[in-house]
Amino acid sequence: RMTAYILINVDEVDRFAGRRMPMFKNLVQLSAVSMKRAYHSQMEEKERMASFIATTNITDSLADPTGNRRFIGIELTQPIDVTTPPNHNQLYAQVMHLLDKGECYWFDAEQTQLIMSHNRQFQAQEPAMICFNDMFEPCADEHEGQWCNTAIILTRLRKRYGSAMV
């Protein structure tokens, strides 16, 4: 399917959470797919054509602390019109026209930074970071705040949230 379709829908992508997310991320970024067709003895490599679209009901579904440049989070504010089928021929024609004109089909460094900045609103946070952000905030002027080392921070977190804070 990755070599034949232009768009693959993954419903409830959050089911890939945890240990399976790296496998899914790897699948999303593959530029080519190795496969062995039925009744053939040799493996062959085909270019991946597909992009992915995914759904989830979880607003903090992006969990990679190094960045989520492979995803563009969009929150729907109203139901999707499923009564009008998309004009696939027209969409395909528009894509081909843009590619024929030489439009980039990848994001440059600046666009990647914008995507990662936008996606922060969908970033999952570790419970310890939620507690930390609840207790501490950066100062606009570094001379106004109080400098704390990690031992002081941990002591304050444990005092408020209990010994489970490791």
Side-chain angles (χ1 to χ4, degrees):
R1 291 183 177 144
M2 290 175 58
T3 64
Y5 297 127
I6 197 161
L7 188 64
I8 296 175
N9 181 35
V10 180
D11 283 324
E12 301 301 330
V13 72
D14 48 284
R15 70 177 176 224
F16 292 109
R19 296 179 315 194
R20 296 191 304 176
M21 184 52 84
M23 179 271 308
F24 178 68
K25 283 175 54 177
N26 184 51
L27 186 68
V28 167
Q29 72 182 11
L30 288 175
S31 60
V33 179
S34 296
M35 57 188 264
K36 181 179 169 210
R37 293 194 289 175
Y39 309 109
H40 288 78
S41 61
Q42 304 267 339
M43 293 288 288
E44 61 182 280
E45 194 167 278
K46 291 191 157 232
E47 184 180 2
R48 184 194 90 193
M49 301 295 293
S51 289
F52 293 85
I53 186 170
T55 63
T56 182
N57 290 322
I58 299 172
T59 56
D60 57 350
S61 58
L62 300 178
D64 187 346
T66 64
N68 291 287
R69 65 187 179 281
R70 294 172 188 90
F71 306 100
I72 301 175
I74 299 170
E75 185 173 0
L76 297 180
T77 57
Q78 60 187 6
I80 298 171
D81 175 13
V82 294
T83 60
T84 308
N87 185 340
H88 291 105
N89 290 334
Q90 181 60 39
L91 289 171
Y92 183 76
Q94 286 175 302
V95 168
M96 293 309 297
H97 174 73
L98 292 171
L99 290 174
D100 288 343
K101 280 181 29 182
E103 287 287 330
C104 291
Y105 55 89
W106 63 89
F107 297 118
D108 63 23
E110 182 181 343
Q111 292 166 323
T112 300
Q113 286 303 314
L114 287 171
I115 289 168
M116 288 175 53
S117 176
H118 165 79
N119 281 343
R120 283 194 191 103
Q121 64 187 308
F122 302 105
Q123 177 76 36
Q125 286 191 347
E126 293 290 326
M129 279 307 295
I130 293 171
C131 295
F132 176 86
N133 290 331
D134 183 49
M135 283 192 68
F136 300 97
E137 62 184 54
C139 293
D141 180 2
E142 67 180 59
H143 300 293
E144 290 181 9
Q146 177 186 5
W147 288 97
C148 298
N149 63 28
T150 53
I152 292 171
I153 292 171
L154 184 58
T155 301
R156 290 184 184 174
L157 287 170
R158 282 186 175 155
K159 187 174 182 180
R160 178 180 278 179
Y161 296 105
S163 62
M165 186 63 60
V166 178

